Amino acid sequence: MAGCRPGAPGSEQAWLEVAQAFIQETLCPPGKEPDVQLTQLVIDCVKTTWLSQGTSQGLTLPLSYSFVSVKDLRTHQRLPCCSHLSWSSTVYQAWAQEAGPRGVPLPRERLLLLGTLTDLSGNLEQECRNGSLYIRDNTGALDCELIDLDLSWLGHLFLFPNWSYLPSPMKSPGEGHVELWDTPVPVFPLTISPGPLTPIPVVYPEMASRLLRYRSKHRNVQPNLAGNLIRFSALVKSQKKAYFVLFLGGSSPAGSQVSVIVQVPAQLVWHRALCPGRAYVLTELRVSKLPGHRYRVWMTSTSSQLLPLKPECVQELELELAGVPLEADPQSLPRPSSPQDKKHPGPDCLVRDSILLSYTGMVTDTLNQPAGLYELDRKLELCLAYQQFRGLRRVVRPGVRLELLDVHLLQSVGGGTRRPILAPCLRGAVLLRGFSHQVPETQFSHQVPQASLYEQLVWEHQLGLPIYLWATKALEDLACKLCPHVLRYHQFLKYSSPGDPSLGLQILAPILEVLIPPGCPGRNTHSEILEEPHHCPLQKYTQLQTPCFFPTLAFLKEEAKHRAWASFDPKTLLPLPEASHLPSWQLNQRLAWSWQCLLPSAFRPAPVLLGILVPSSRKGCLQLRDQSGSLSCLLLAQPLQPLTDPRLIGCLVRTDRFQLVIERNVRSSFPSWKELSTTDFIQKKQARVYVQFLLADALILSVPRPVLHSATSSTPRTEPSPPEGPHIEQSRLFLLSHKEALIKRNFSVPPSASSEMPQPTLSFHVLGSWLGGTQRKEGTGWGPPEPKEDENSDQKVLLLFLGSSVRWFEFLHPGHVYRLVASGPPTLMFEEGGSSCVSQHPLELAGCASCLTVQDEWTVELASSQDIPEVLGIRPTLPESSLTDLLSGNFADSLVSFSAEIVSHLWMKPGSSGTVRRCVKLTVALETADYKFPPHLDVYIEDPHLPPPLGLLPGARVHFHQLEKRVSRSHNVYCCFRSSTCVQVLHFPPDTTVSAPLPHIYLTELLQGDKAPFRATASCHVVSVFSLHLLWVCAHCTSICPQGRCPRQSPACPTQTSVSQASIRLLVEDGTAEAVVTCRNHQVAAVLGLCPSEWTSLLEIVRGPGKVALQFTGPGAQLESSAEVDEPLTLFLWTLCTSFSVLRPMVLSFELERKPSKIIPLEAPRLQRFQCGESPFLTRVNPKIRLSCLSIQEPEHPNALGALVSSC
């Protein structure tokens, strides 16, 4: 800092001239003649102090030092500094070393500071005294702190030889304070006041206590009180007045104590001069009664003085007490009970008592300055929030030594805090015992205003320490998520008022309402300081289990991926009995896609999702964003209600009920099931992470708009420069009737636009109808629509959204009315032929009069009910195709719409199951009220619709609009996505998946056509076996493998792994109908009644020939194998399949071989001749039902089932 430095530093005369000018300007009374005596005294004082260091190098004056005024120090010194006139460079370097390796020592400036030490600020009114200290000169006053104050120093002019200056961290001009390291040097000699001529009559604490409790003739006397200072409270500042309480006792520690309240403004500075253990005399005390209390206390009067106790200067006053005690001893009064005392905690809610002690230590770290959290001696935490520590906040930093009197020690408080906590309440005092050598750390917390949210949590919401510590950690995490780009720190942590709520408090409010018991009493400061036994918010506490935490979106995303891949186990996704029979292509296809849903309950503690809701122009989906990144999200207003209001963009969303979805895509080449534990066969892994929740379960908070740009803009872009001329805001209403898919499309580009090859652009189309003409902005509303020349003309329009305008995709839904808003020249921007209208040939097919390209800067709003009540009163319904048309061969309209629940989601690679291109196969259960058992249908998604939209998960209810219906070569109806397809998720998958049991039916119920269930369970009896096939095939090409080797030579298979496959066809009946059941692979072992070891041995025998096929056409078995098959094997299989081990009762779970989507007619019943004795019978017989086995279970009562079947 540039001070008042002489032009020639080596000239003593020049230095003296500058010194005289400075003293006259800043220290002499203004408007008077120069005070030569004052000038000489100041120079002599500086010279004496300078020479006291012993290393003045022959200089009698500190020529390298310059004088600085209070004004210059506050205005020009922007960085922390220190000045040590009486120190040599060696002493300073040793002092700087004490800052430690982790701290930066205060830089040394050569400045001379002089001023009057006072407790008055800039205003000389007595009411401005609040216990603070100032250095004053003619240019202003500056806050200061010192270690040990002598009250006789007040009002005197001093030279401050060793001090440090710290400017305000909030960069406010004129703020800052001085820390005085050593005793100031008086310019004028301090006069020592002589003792009193006569001894001062005093009373001691025991007599003073009795005076409060007895009626006597001396009750109006203002006695002088003498005693040892036992302790004193913190300085309490309220809106009405400030005060503190000191406690005097006798020489014996077990003797009486008496409290004295000091609340006269001029006496508040005593708080800085008191020292526990010393003896004092308080003069001219008075008795007062506190409001809300039954007993009286001692208070100082305006004429009271604080004097050191000298036994030779005092004389005990003898008073004769008479009368009845006026009231009980205030120290023995019962404490009023609180709701927390009446609560009977259980074993998990153990109430603990804090320990009251004194402690002296050094601050080693600042944990959270505005919250009052620090680290002591690398082993303890210090919380100053339960005192009014605003003045202390600017001083406490690493390196400061503190003495804590009557501080509470709390251990194992929980809430994420592991170390013991020291926390003083209003009863205790925090005394400075040493300043810090370090430069204050530059933290965001310095920018928090004085009246912050942290103080509100303690003083208004009455948070206990465990909850407060958790709340401060939560607010710190939230600030890291949102500040400074989304919000400024002072906006987030500001004091919350009814008309201006704090965003931080609104986020924490739902949790605090649960943690804070209702009816907690407010803090009574007088009771907290005076009453015995002591009671304060820190006295009793309960260990807190961390209720939740606020992770960053990046952490949540990475944690979800980590958990998803940690739980990815191919053996779990493909259970061994089933996987051991799958060929390679089918094995890898089943592993290509899987998903996992994480609920908040899966984390400890549970996370709370928080972020700014913004649309992504690059992906076309909604995202939550914070400082760490973004997370895609899928939102519903409520079940069956989509998100329609674009005003949600830029709002802060908070929810603790959500589903964190991870879709895993794996490209693998596992040869067979034996290698599933080898990760080397996985070539590529990808994960798509997103979150889905309901807005009804979320808290939506508006964020100040001026600070939203960096958080809500999806991609940085330059706003187009507006055309010259006047601009007006225009809008037009339209009813949306259809929305097409959001995919990459090719658009024709004019030849002069660009020489580069045009690339497919992410876009979508909207078909709608204009509702009236263009409206102009009038004040806060919209004017009447512009009249059209032909009111009966076609109002249909095709709106094209591409580029940044795709951000509106998630908000536009058929059946709703929206307002398109644009700002530009006073021309009709939405009319046909305007600057944005493009005529295209496909409009004729869509029946539209025009096409309008929505510009990037245009906005979309949801229309209000006042705009068009006759249209908005109609509830939009989703189009549904009839089930008869959907599952029939009628192709009059190949575009179908329906709602369904997704049953399975399968990624299919090229070449698998005859597919040409990669695609996603969704099996859905159609929702219909006419069918008790919903039919299933396959839906295929191919490029350019891949990857599929968010939310297409098993268990989700989805509405598909305008799918293309097709028929396969096997006469099954299936559907495919096309460019006009629109998907809307109606309901998320349930949080807990409970598989409903299959219905138990009779087989004859399967002959009811479309009313029959697709899957069911039946109790039946095996009548006979039709066929049995056992074979070993190549896992790669599925060729038969004799001796377990693939016979293919050109080209040879890359692997020689073979897998076993088996199938058996049975005839079963339950007394009502017959059915042919096909069982495969491990189900064959269950049908044959073989244990795992027997089944394995049988398959090993079959490995030699490679294939065994038996056809049971009568009492014997016909071999169908090109290989030599041993007669014992044939005989064994024939005997087994015709024994009662196979022909037995069983409980069969199955599904129909004929899908509900098959459109060929059912086989009609045929006439069949039966012979009963000598009489022939001719009757109609239904075709045998064909079923595929799902599982086989043994009946609980096989004998009863057999008797039932025999009797039928």
Side-chain angles (χ1 to χ4, degrees):
M1 186 192 79
C4 300
R5 200 179 296 271
S11 171
E12 291 190 6
Q13 185 61 34
W15 189 92
L16 290 173
E17 292 176 358
V18 172
Q20 293 172 0
F22 173 83
I23 296 170
Q24 176 61 30
E25 180 182 357
T26 61
L27 301 180
C28 292
K32 294 185 179 181
E33 294 294 329
D35 192 337
V36 178
Q37 181 184 4
L38 175 61
T39 302
Q40 189 60 43
L41 288 174
V42 170
I43 294 175
D44 291 344
C45 183
V46 172
K47 183 186 301 185
T48 303
T49 307
W50 162 254
L51 295 176
S52 65
Q53 65 176 327
T55 59
S56 58
Q57 299 178 354
L59 297 176
T60 58
L61 293 174
L63 302 182
S64 59
Y65 281 77
S66 58
F67 290 90
V68 61
S69 65
V70 168
K71 180 181 179 181
D72 290 340
L73 194 61
R74 296 175 58 177
T75 305
H76 302 297
Q77 186 63 37
R78 303 298 177 87
L79 298 177
C81 68
C82 66
S83 179
H84 302 284
L85 178 63
S86 61
W87 287 10
S88 64
S89 299
T90 304
V91 175
Y92 169 75
Q93 291 174 2
W95 177 86
Q97 291 294 328
E98 297 179 7
R102 300 174 61 180
V104 179
L106 288 165
R108 186 178 186 181
E109 293 284 347
R110 299 180 181 275
L111 301 174
L112 298 175
L113 179 63
L114 294 99
T116 301
L117 189 63
T118 178
D119 62 341
L120 285 172
S121 61
N123 192 343
L124 298 180
E125 299 286 339
Q126 184 176 358
E127 288 72 20
C128 293
R129 288 185 163 124
N130 56 8
S132 300
L133 285 179
Y134 305 92
I135 297 175
R136 179 194 302 282
D137 62 13
N138 294 341
T139 64
L142 183 64
D143 292 78
C144 72
E145 299 287 344
L146 53 76
I147 302 300
D148 193 2
L149 173 67
D150 188 334
L151 294 178
S152 63
W153 296 348
L154 296 178
H156 292 274
L157 180 63
F158 288 95
L159 166 68
F160 304 102
N162 301 315
W163 53 273
S164 56
Y165 174 72
L166 290 92
S168 171
M170 299 201 53
K171 309 301 181 184
S172 301
E175 298 294 335
H177 74 281
V178 170
E179 297 175 354
L180 302 179
W181 286 80
D182 287 338
T183 302
V185 179
V187 175
F188 296 96
L190 297 178
T191 58
I192 301 177
S193 60
L197 299 178
T198 58
I200 302 176
V202 298
V203 294
Y204 288 96
E206 182 178 357
M207 177 61 69
S209 179
R210 295 174 63 189
L211 282 174
L212 293 175
R213 290 182 285 132
Y214 285 84
R215 295 182 183 272
S216 73
K217 59 182 179 180
H218 307 287
R219 61 188 178 188
N220 294 325
V221 176
Q222 292 185 333
N224 305 316
L225 176 63
N228 293 326
L229 181 63
I230 305 300
R231 59 184 174 91
F232 59 98
S233 72
L235 184 61
V236 181
K237 299 179 181 179
S238 62
Q239 294 181 351
K240 295 182 179 179
K241 58 180 61 179
Y243 67 93
F244 70 93
V245 182
L246 57 86
F247 296 82
L248 296 181
S251 57
S252 174
S256 298
Q257 297 182 16
V258 64
S259 56
V260 180
I261 297 179
V262 181
Q263 63 181 14
V264 178
Q267 300 166 0
L268 296 179
V269 74
W270 295 358
H271 193 271
R272 296 174 174 270
L274 294 174
C275 183
R278 294 181 183 176
Y280 295 96
V281 175
L282 292 173
T283 65
E284 301 185 32
L285 301 182
R286 62 186 180 89
V287 177
S288 179
K289 188 173 184 180
L290 295 177
H293 293 267
R294 293 181 298 170
Y295 52 89
R296 292 182 170 89
V297 294
W298 291 109
M299 285 188 179
T300 60
S301 62
T302 55
S303 56
S304 297
Q305 296 182 15
L306 176 66
L307 304 174
L309 175 59
K310 299 177 181 179
E312 66 276 8
C313 298
V314 297
Q315 179 181 1
E316 183 175 1
L317 179 64
E318 297 292 338
L319 297 176
E320 181 180 352
L321 300 180
V324 182
L326 187 63
E327 55 193 17
D329 189 347
Q331 298 182 1
S332 63
L333 285 176
R335 176 178 52 85
S337 60
S338 66
Q340 295 180 355
D341 299 331
K342 298 178 181 179
K343 184 171 56 177
H344 299 283
D348 297 333
C349 184
L350 182 62
V351 176
R352 307 182 181 187
D353 290 320
S354 62
I355 302 174
L356 208 60
L357 49 82
S358 296
Y359 183 87
T360 301
M362 177 183 290
V363 177
T364 50
D365 194 10
T366 301
L367 304 179
N368 189 331
Q369 188 191 40
L373 298 179
Y374 304 89
E375 180 190 69
L376 281 178
D377 298 329
R378 305 287 181 199
K379 58 185 178 181
L380 299 173
E381 291 189 18
L382 172 64
C383 177
L384 299 177
Y386 290 83
Q387 286 193 353
Q388 295 171 330
F389 69 106
R390 293 182 185 178
L392 205 59
R393 180 192 291 131
R394 64 188 183 186
V395 180
V396 179
R397 62 184 187 277
V400 168
R401 294 192 60 81
L402 298 176
E403 182 180 357
L404 308 174
L405 305 179
D406 289 334
V407 63
H408 292 267
L409 173 64
L410 296 86
Q411 305 181 68
S412 302
V413 297
T417 303
R418 302 182 182 274
R419 295 183 292 188
I421 307 290
L422 291 176
C425 65
L426 296 179
R427 172 192 177 106
V430 180
L431 306 181
L432 280 171
R433 288 296 175 249
F435 293 112
S436 173
H437 302 190
Q438 302 178 18
V439 174
E441 299 175 356
T442 304
Q443 297 180 347
F444 72 87
S445 58
H446 290 158
Q447 302 178 9
V448 177
Q450 293 292 319
S452 68
L453 177 59
Y454 294 109
E455 296 183 4
Q456 193 172 14
L457 292 176
V458 171
W459 294 93
E460 293 187 17
H461 295 273
Q462 307 296 324
L463 295 192
L465 183 61
I467 302 178
Y468 176 74
L469 293 176
W470 171 83
T472 57
K473 180 64 170 63
L475 289 173
E476 190 174 358
D477 293 341
L478 290 171
C480 293
K481 284 170 60 66
L482 302 176
C483 303
H485 298 305
V486 178
L487 280 177
R488 299 293 180 253
Y489 295 108
H490 65 87
Q491 290 178 314
F492 181 70
L493 297 175
K494 68 179 180 181
Y495 191 87
S496 183
S497 59
D500 189 17
S502 167
L503 193 62
L505 184 58
Q506 293 181 77
I507 296 173
L508 294 183
I511 306 168
L512 297 181
E513 290 176 359
V514 178
L515 295 178
I516 303 175
C520 282
R523 293 179 70 178
N524 188 316
T525 57
H526 288 103
S527 299
E528 186 172 321
I529 298 172
L530 295 171
E531 284 189 351
E532 294 291 346
H534 175 60
H535 175 69
C536 73
L538 301 172
Q539 184 189 9
K540 294 183 179 294
Y541 65 100
T542 305
Q543 185 175 9
L544 177 67
Q545 299 296 328
T546 305
C548 63
F549 75 114
F550 296 87
T552 62
L553 296 179
F555 171 83
L556 200 62
K557 192 173 183 178
E558 291 303 317
E559 180 68 15
K561 289 182 180 180
H562 173 74
R563 294 194 179 200
W565 293 121
S567 62
F568 177 75
D569 185 7
K571 292 184 177 181
T572 304
L573 296 174
L574 296 175
L576 186 58
E578 179 185 4
S580 60
H581 304 285
L582 296 177
S584 178
W585 67 267
Q586 197 171 3
L587 192 74
N588 292 295
Q589 178 177 281
R590 298 277 292 274
L591 294 174
W593 184 89
S594 59
W595 72 294
Q596 186 178 12
C597 179
L598 297 177
L599 301 177
S601 57
F603 298 83
R604 288 291 180 273
V608 176
L609 190 65
L610 186 78
I612 300 292
L613 184 66
V614 295
S616 172
S617 300
R618 187 171 60 90
K619 296 182 178 180
C621 64
L622 292 176
Q623 292 180 337
L624 290 177
R625 291 190 183 172
D626 62 11
Q627 297 256 101
S628 66
S630 61
L631 179 62
S632 300
C633 59
L634 179 63
L635 275 69
L636 292 178
Q638 289 182 354
L640 307 179
Q641 293 186 15
L643 202 65
T644 58
D645 195 351
R647 290 179 300 177
L648 293 171
I649 295 177
C651 290
L652 185 63
V653 179
R654 176 206 183 276
T655 180
D656 53 8
R657 297 184 60 184
F658 59 90
Q659 294 178 341
L660 186 60
V661 179
I662 309 99
E663 295 186 24
R664 297 174 293 213
N665 290 91
V666 175
R667 189 173 67 192
S668 60
S669 59
F670 289 103
S672 68
W673 63 275
K674 296 180 181 179
E675 291 81 13
L676 288 180
S677 58
T678 306
T679 59
D680 295 339
F681 293 100
I682 298 179
Q683 284 88 30
K684 188 177 182 180
K685 297 192 302 183
Q686 286 183 335
R688 182 167 71 164
V689 183
Y690 57 94
V691 65
Q692 50 190 23
F693 57 91
L694 301 176
L695 279 184
D697 297 333
L699 177 65
I700 310 298
L701 302 173
S702 59
V703 178
R705 296 293 175 181
V707 296
L708 275 180
H709 179 72
S710 60
T712 58
S713 58
S714 56
T715 55
R717 65 179 187 270
T718 304
E719 295 292 338
S721 58
E724 298 181 358
H727 283 69
I728 61 172
E729 199 169 357
Q730 307 177 46
S731 69
R732 195 169 184 184
L733 297 171
F734 68 94
L735 174 64
L736 195 151
S737 57
H738 173 65
K739 179 177 71 170
E740 294 194 353
L742 178 65
I743 56 176
K744 288 187 176 182
R745 294 177 171 87
N746 292 318
F747 291 96
S748 59
V749 180
S752 60
S754 175
S755 59
E756 299 179 359
M757 183 68 66
Q759 298 293 329
T761 304
L762 191 67
S763 63
F764 70 97
H765 299 165
V766 161
L767 182 63
S769 301
W770 293 121
L771 301 179
T774 301
Q775 298 175 269
R776 299 175 185 267
K777 193 74 172 180
E778 294 182 357
T780 58
W782 295 100
E786 297 285 344
K788 295 181 62 66
E789 296 180 0
D790 187 3
E791 294 292 342
N792 298 324
S793 62
D794 191 4
Q795 295 288 303
K796 287 187 178 180
V797 64
L798 186 67
L799 299 180
L800 173 60
F801 293 80
L802 71 161
S804 296
S805 62
V806 299
R807 65 186 183 275
W808 307 110
F809 178 80
E810 291 292 337
F811 298 96
L812 299 177
H813 297 279
H816 292 83
V817 179
Y818 298 91
R819 182 183 294 276
L820 196 61
V821 182
S823 177
T827 60
L828 299 182
M829 305 178 64
F830 307 120
E831 300 296 336
E832 182 179 359
S835 58
S836 303
C837 297
V838 180
S839 178
Q840 297 181 2
H841 176 69
L843 297 180
E844 300 177 1
L845 299 177
C848 298
S850 62
C851 171
L852 183 64
T853 301
V854 178
Q855 304 300 311
D856 292 349
E857 63 272 13
W858 293 3
T859 59
V860 177
E861 300 176 358
L862 184 66
S864 61
S865 57
Q866 291 81 6
D867 295 328
I868 34 171
E870 66 279 1
V871 177
L872 292 179
I874 304 175
R875 184 180 180 86
T877 57
L878 298 174
E880 299 279 350
S881 302
S882 66
L883 200 60
T884 304
D885 295 338
L886 184 60
L887 301 179
S888 68
N890 181 16
F891 282 86
D893 186 4
S894 62
L895 298 181
V896 295
S897 303
F898 55 86
S899 298
E901 179 180 335
I902 298 178
V903 178
S904 65
H905 183 131
L906 181 66
W907 275 75
M908 306 181 69
K909 298 180 180 179
S912 60
S913 302
T915 58
V916 180
R917 296 181 297 177
R918 68 180 186 126
C919 65
V920 172
K921 175 186 174 183
L922 301 178
T923 301
V924 300
L926 301 176
E927 293 185 356
T928 174
D930 300 333
Y931 290 77
K932 182 179 180 181
F933 306 102
H936 290 195
L937 189 68
D938 291 336
V939 178
Y940 291 88
I941 309 175
E942 298 178 344
D943 281 329
H945 298 276
L946 293 179
L950 304 181
L952 300 186
L953 305 171
R957 293 174 58 193
V958 182
H959 179 76
F960 298 95
H961 185 52
Q962 290 198 1
L963 289 173
E964 183 180 5
K965 184 176 74 171
R966 298 179 183 176
V967 178
S968 67
R969 286 175 291 184
S970 57
H971 305 286
N972 285 315
V973 175
Y974 67 97
C975 293
C976 291
F977 273 48
R978 54 173 292 170
S979 61
S980 62
T981 301
C982 182
V983 179
Q984 178 181 331
V985 177
L986 303 177
H987 208 294
F988 302 134
D991 292 343
T992 56
T993 304
V994 180
S995 56
L998 295 176
H1000 197 90
I1001 65 170
Y1002 292 104
L1003 293 179
T1004 188
E1005 297 181 41
L1006 299 176
L1007 299 174
Q1008 298 177 1
D1010 296 335
K1011 304 295 183 180
F1014 179 60
R1015 292 182 176 180
T1017 301
S1019 299
C1020 56
H1021 191 279
V1022 180
V1023 177
S1024 62
V1025 178
F1026 284 156
S1027 64
L1028 173 65
H1029 289 78
L1030 302 174
L1031 62 157
W1032 286 83
V1033 298
C1034 175
H1036 181 74
C1037 66
T1038 66
S1039 301
I1040 302 297
C1041 294
Q1043 302 300 326
R1045 296 193 183 101
C1046 180
R1048 197 173 77 168
Q1049 297 298 329
S1050 56
C1053 285
T1055 177
Q1056 291 297 319
T1057 305
S1058 58
V1059 294
S1060 62
Q1061 293 184 348
S1063 66
I1064 189 171
R1065 298 178 74 240
L1066 312 170
L1067 178 65
V1068 301
E1069 57 92 16
D1070 66 346
T1072 65
E1074 293 180 336
V1076 177
V1077 182
T1078 301
C1079 303
R1080 292 180 175 82
N1081 299 327
H1082 62 282
Q1083 301 167 356
V1084 177
V1087 173
L1088 298 180
L1090 301 178
C1091 67
S1093 60
E1094 295 171 339
W1095 174 247
T1096 302
S1097 300
L1098 176 60
L1099 292 178
E1100 288 299 323
I1101 296 174
V1102 177
R1103 185 191 290 268
K1107 177 181 179 182
V1108 173
L1110 302 180
Q1111 188 74 29
F1112 295 85
T1113 57
Q1118 178 183 354
L1119 299 181
E1120 293 183 0
S1121 176
S1122 59
E1124 286 287 335
V1125 180
D1126 295 336
E1127 287 298 329
L1129 177 60
T1130 305
L1131 181 60
F1132 169 74
L1133 292 176
W1134 179 85
T1135 304
L1136 181 63
C1137 292
T1138 57
S1139 67
F1140 287 108
S1141 297
V1142 176
L1143 308 180
R1144 69 186 191 276
M1146 64 176 58
V1147 178
L1148 179 68
S1149 297
F1150 59 86
E1151 67 179 9
L1152 298 174
E1153 278 192 0
R1154 174 193 172 93
K1155 293 184 177 181
S1157 57
K1158 188 177 287 291
I1159 62 175
I1160 60 175
L1162 292 172
E1163 183 181 350
R1166 68 182 186 277
L1167 290 174
Q1168 187 172 350
R1169 185 183 300 276
F1170 293 91
Q1171 191 74 24
C1172 184
E1174 298 179 355
S1175 304
F1177 291 92
L1178 191 66
T1179 184
R1180 292 183 180 273
V1181 178
N1182 289 316
K1184 289 186 176 64
I1185 307 167
R1186 299 187 180 276
L1187 306 175
S1188 294
C1189 176
L1190 297 177
S1191 65
I1192 294 174
Q1193 295 179 353
E1194 299 300 326
E1196 296 181 2
H1197 307 286
N1199 296 331
L1201 180 61
L1204 173 63
V1205 174
S1206 302
S1207 63
C1208 294

